[in-house]
Amino acid sequence: MVCTGAKSEKEARRATMNVIKELKKSGIIIIGKPDIKIQNIVASGALGGMADLEKAAYMLNHTMYEPEQFPGLIYRMADPKVVILLFASGKLVCTGAKNEEDVHVAVEKLHALLEETDFIFYE
């Protein structure tokens, strides 16, 4: 079973358990406790300023930035292991996290790095 669209880990677990309860109510035999694993969290956010993607692509390791192909910088962060799509507007999408804490850590880490190097500016 795959659960998508939940707004939190807790909500995903609750939804999964509700489906299992409904299946049991319908006469489907389920033996044992379900093994629920979070495989991929996708989160969107904003850094609150504009990002210089050209400079960031040059400075950060493990990036891909080809504005003719895609308007965002693709940053593969090693720790935590996530992929962040960063746009010039400062908006971002973080994907691949296994828990909510990894999302927060990754975004805070990227924000600090961009501020240190003056690759983010506020209007």
Side-chain angles (χ1 to χ4, degrees):
M1 177 187 325
V2 177
C3 174
T4 62
K7 300 295 182 196
S8 68
E9 291 178 61
K10 186 177 179 180
E11 190 178 302
R13 291 179 197 285
R14 189 179 309 124
T16 302
M17 294 310 292
N18 284 341
V19 170
I20 290 167
K21 190 162 64 171
E22 289 298 317
L23 291 171
K24 285 181 177 180
K25 223 193 290 187
S26 299
I28 296 172
I29 299 167
I30 297 173
I31 301 169
K33 189 178 177 203
D35 183 20
I36 300 171
K37 291 181 185 171
I38 305 293
Q39 296 294 330
N40 181 32
I41 294 176
V42 179
S44 61
L47 298 176
M50 304 286 285
D52 187 333
L53 300 184
E54 289 284 342
K55 288 181 183 175
Y58 183 75
M59 187 273 305
L60 294 171
N61 293 324
H62 312 292
T63 61
M64 209 166 70
Y65 181 53
E66 296 180 32
E68 304 82 25
Q69 300 294 316
F70 181 69
L73 177 138
I74 301 168
Y75 178 42
R76 296 181 188 285
M77 187 177 281
D79 185 35
K81 191 173 187 232
V82 299
V83 175
I84 297 176
L85 306 178
L86 177 64
F87 299 90
S89 64
K91 292 185 178 178
L92 60 84
V93 175
C94 178
T95 185
K98 301 286 186 198
N99 58 62
E100 291 176 45
E101 180 63 21
D102 282 353
V103 173
H104 293 287
V105 168
V107 172
E108 287 169 13
K109 196 172 172 180
L110 176 63
H111 190 249
L113 193 56
L114 292 172
E115 278 196 326
E116 272 174 29
T117 52
D118 290 326
F119 295 162
I120 189 166
F121 50 97
Y122 307 94
E123 293 180 342

